[in-house]
Amino acid sequence: MTFLVLVQGYALFVEPLVSIAQAAFVAAIVGTGTAIGAYLLEHRVAAWSARRVTGATEPHGGDGKSKS
């Protein structure tokens, strides 16, 4: 989204950097990358959030040793 906002702002004040089709293509690539990244990182973010809520300090196993 930031890319498209910057392109629109530049196009309004100077001249278009890319065509509408090129901007849509870049937006599709960024959207796809964001969706894949969110899918792949979802479980890690959920585990990190759960550890923060419970106050756990051991993210890997329960061997009783401090990880910090």
Side-chain angles (χ1 to χ4, degrees):
M1 285 298 240
T2 302
F3 171 78
L4 294 176
V5 169
L6 291 173
V7 168
Q8 286 285 351
Y10 188 82
L12 285 173
F13 291 109
V14 183
E15 64 182 48
L17 287 173
V18 295
S19 69
I20 292 175
Q22 290 170 330
F25 179 71
V26 170
I29 290 172
V30 170
T32 301
T34 302
I36 290 170
Y39 176 77
L40 294 175
L41 294 175
E42 178 182 10
H43 68 283
R44 291 182 185 206
V45 173
W48 172 78
S49 179
R51 281 194 311 272
R52 282 192 58 170
V53 168
T54 61
T57 58
E58 298 179 11
H60 301 291
D63 60 359
K65 296 180 183 175
S66 176
K67 305 295 185 206
S68 55

